[in-house]
């Protein structure tokens, strides 16, 4: 049975079932597998012709073995990916010679987070039913996580869900995808502050759950939950197999804020997929680019941009990579994270450890004008419309690409229809909403505006959990 350990080395080992329901470790760290499943090139090659759901079973099952029955996992994955709007689930779109966009926006909420959160919702229901428990999901979203989490868990019988988003700082489509899903167990909270304030309140609530009176526990649906990373590993294998892996290596460019999606690519490489390069694409909130290019970790004031899902000043999942770079030394990492979380001084990483990361990772920070120009350029070259986050990834790929003989795949993280301002700034016509969302602007909305105050938020959750 797979066991999970904390990056800070001072929390009990847990099973997958326990990790699914835990979120942050009690020492403040993030859970990672104690041992990473390994696949031979021959085994990966044998998966070449599998449909997405079958491939997902091969990749995910080692992480859940002993907790989730193999047949139950098959049913869950067939159910999840059978509900996507494209038969290929994650189709590739070619935009230049040996250059591709992996379309990860054919799920119910038109964003890559559907891959993980649709699965997470069903895994939660399976585990909670087995344990006869009810939980409270609390999460913060800078755009897409909230709608994907709500869509993924709305039918869960044993869950009350509370999602915080920064008031007036997500796009209208993003907000409506959350606020129009009506149910007694669904609560949208618009915080009069920014994403990082919302995220800080979520983290503090996980640290002290007294407001739930010991009757429920909090479950995380953001990218700190291992089940999300685990689900995202699959589309690296799927896209690589479609382009000739494992007989040839691949390179990926990932628009990223919280480092979860690109960490899944790093995990795919550790599991045996031949990946030669991972490009970190960021917007003006470029903490990851500053670390990779200048070895400077400093938390800067958050900037609001046309790529809101990347408007994050602190990349939570970067800790998982640091754990490996520091040779899985929980004590050393704990000391480093203490300095980084103090947010006072510029922190430098050990150069030898950073060089280990630079062997695989490159980075690029893309400002708003360059993002818009990239949308225009790709549209004029191909007639293909990128969302602004994917445009950041494409620009980063083109700036950082090491070897043009190797396929470069940019993760297409969201449908452009969600980002009207960026498409208008590019002077292009907005696409239509897909059929299942065509009446989104007419649907009834329901959300509550609260100050960025943890006591108000916790009181609201308590009142609506035990009513």
């Amino acid at each position: 049975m797979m066991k999970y350990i904390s990056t800070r080395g001072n929390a009990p080992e847990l099973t997958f079932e326990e990790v699914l329901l835990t979120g942050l470790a009690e020492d403040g760290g993030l859970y990672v597998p104690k041992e990473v499943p390994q696949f031979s090139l021959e085994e990966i090659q044998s998966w070449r012709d599998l449909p997405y759901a079958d491939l997902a079973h091969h990749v995910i099952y080692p992480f859940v073995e002993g907790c989730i029955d193999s047949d139950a996992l098959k049913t869950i994955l067939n159910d999840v990916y059978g509900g996507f709007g494209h038969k290929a689930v994650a189709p590739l779109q070619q935009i230049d010679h040996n250059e591709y966009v992996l379309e990860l926006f054919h799920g119910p909420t038109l964003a890559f987070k559907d891959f993980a959160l649709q699965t997470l919702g069903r895994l939660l229901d399976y585990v909670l039913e087995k344990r006869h428990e009810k939980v409270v999901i609390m999460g913060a979203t800078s755009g897409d996580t909230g709608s994907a989490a709500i869509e993924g868990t709305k039918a869960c019988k044993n869950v009350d869900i509370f999602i915080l988003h920064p008031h007036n700082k997500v796009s209208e489509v993003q907000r409506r995808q959350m606020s129009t899903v009506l149910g007694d167990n669904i609560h949208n909270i618009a915080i009069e502050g920014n994403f990082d304030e919302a995220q800080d309140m979520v983290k503090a609530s996980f640290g002290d759950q007294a407001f739930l009176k010991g009757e429920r526990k909090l479950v995380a649906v953001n990218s700190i939950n291992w089940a999300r990373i685990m689900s995202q590993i699959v589309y690296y294998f799927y896209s690589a197999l479609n382009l000739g892996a494992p007989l040839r290596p691949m390179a990926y460019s990932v628009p990223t804020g919280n480092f979860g999606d690109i960490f899944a690519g790093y995990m795919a490489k550790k599991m045996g997929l031949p990946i030669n390069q991972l490009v970190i694409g960021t917007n003006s909130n470029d903490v990851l680019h500053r670390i990779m290019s200048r070895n400077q970790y400093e938390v800067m004031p958050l900037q609001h941009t046309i790529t809101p899902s990347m408007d994050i000043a602190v990349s939570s999942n970067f800790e998982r990579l640091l754990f490996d770079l520091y040779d899985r030394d929980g004590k050393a990492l704990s000391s480093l994270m203490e300095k980084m979380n103090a947010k006072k001084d510029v922190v430098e990483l050990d150069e030898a450890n950073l060089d280990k990361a630079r062997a695989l990772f490159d980075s690029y920070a893309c400002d708003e004008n360059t993002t818009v120009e990239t949308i225009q350029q790709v549209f004029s070259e191909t007639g293909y419309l990128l969302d602004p986050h994917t445009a950041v990834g494409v620009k980063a790929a083109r700036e950082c690409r090491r070897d043009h003989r190797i396929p470069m795949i940019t993760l297409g993280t969201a449908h452009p229809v969600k980002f009207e301002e960026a498409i208008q700034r590019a002077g292009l016509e907005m696409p239509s909403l897909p059929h299942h969302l065509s009446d989104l602007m007419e649907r009834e909305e329901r959300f509550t505006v609260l100050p960025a105050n943890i006591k108000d938020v916790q009181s609201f959750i308590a009142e609506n959990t035990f009513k």
Side-chain angles (χ1 to χ4, degrees), residues 82-98:
F84 274 51
H86 195 297
K87 285 282 281 181
V89 183
L92 283 156
Q93 174 75 37
Q94 189 165 3
I95 57 170
D96 201 346
H97 177 68
N98 241 5

Side-chain angles (χ1 to χ4, degrees), residues 1-8 12-16 19-20 29-38 59-65 223-231 233 263-264 266-268 270-271 317 319-321 323-324 327-328:
M1 179 187 285
M2 174 74 73
K3 289 286 192 176
Y4 291 82
I5 56 174
S6 168
T7 49
R8 303 202 191 168
E13 291 183 9
L14 299 184
T15 65
F16 173 76
V19 162
L20 181 69
L30 302 181
Y31 276 105
V32 292
K34 188 174 180 180
E35 293 171 356
V36 175
Q38 300 290 308
V59 174
I60 290 173
Y61 187 62
F63 292 108
V64 304
E65 193 171 359
S223 57
I224 65 168
N225 192 313
W226 176 257
R228 279 194 50 181
I229 305 282
M230 171 187 84
S231 300
I233 295 167
F263 185 76
Y266 169 76
M267 283 298 300
K270 282 187 75 175
M271 293 165 76
N317 278 294
E319 180 170 339
R320 284 183 160 124
L321 178 65
F323 183 56
D324 275 6
D327 297 319
R328 300 197 134 206

Side-chain angles (χ1 to χ4, degrees), residues 93-96 103 374-386 416 428-429 431:
Q93 174 75 37
Q94 189 165 3
I95 57 170
D96 201 346
E103 293 187 344
T374 305
I375 294 171
Q376 292 169 325
Q377 181 189 0
V378 171
F379 189 80
S380 71
E381 290 169 351
T382 64
Y384 187 67
L385 186 61
L386 299 173
L428 299 170
E429 197 176 315

Side-chain angles (χ1 to χ4, degrees), residues 320-373:
R320 284 183 160 124
L321 178 65
L322 289 172
F323 183 56
D324 275 6
L325 297 182
Y326 280 73
D327 297 319
R328 300 197 134 206
D329 181 341
K331 200 170 175 187
L333 188 65
S334 200
S335 162
L336 176 68
M337 294 311 299
E338 204 173 307
K339 289 184 206 157
M340 291 171 88
N341 290 337
K343 302 181 185 177
K344 288 177 187 165
D345 305 310
V346 177
V347 178
E348 291 188 355
L349 305 183
D350 176 89
E351 276 289 346
N353 289 336
L354 185 58
D355 284 344
K356 285 191 272 185
R358 287 171 170 161
L360 176 64
F361 291 93
D362 289 285
S363 66
Y364 180 81
C366 190
D367 63 32
E368 288 201 342
N369 288 338
T370 309
T371 303
V372 170
E373 285 164 12

Side-chain angles (χ1 to χ4, degrees), residues 136-140 161-167 187-195 197-206 208 211-212 218 448-466:
V136 171
I137 285 176
M138 183 182 182
I161 182 165
F162 297 84
I163 296 293
L164 285 60
H165 72 268
H167 189 37
H187 304 277
N188 284 287
I189 302 172
I191 294 295
E192 293 174 320
N194 62 35
F195 169 75
E197 288 173 293
Q199 182 79 303
D200 285 345
M201 284 190 273
V202 172
K203 283 182 178 175
S205 298
F206 272 88
D208 181 1
F211 68 101
L212 292 173
L218 288 180
T448 304
V449 181
L450 292 177
N453 179 307
I454 193 165
K455 290 275 184 287
D456 292 314
V457 170
Q458 289 181 344
S459 296
F460 180 84
I461 292 174
E463 284 163 19
N464 287 280
T465 299
F466 302 113

Side-chain angles (χ1 to χ4, degrees), residues 270-316:
K270 282 187 75 175
M271 293 165 76
L273 190 65
I275 295 176
N276 275 25
Q277 185 186 17
L278 288 169
V279 180
I280 300 164
T282 76
N283 62 13
S284 313
N285 299 292
D286 60 348
V287 63
L288 290 167
H289 176 58
R290 281 182 278 117
I291 293 171
M292 296 303 298
S293 59
R294 304 201 292 273
N295 194 7
Q296 292 179 343
Y297 180 87
E298 184 181 11
V299 178
M300 300 285 206
L302 195 73
Q303 298 181 50
H304 295 288
T305 71
I306 56 171
T307 45
S309 298
M310 299 159 74
D311 289 347
I312 293 170
V314 178
S315 280
S316 304

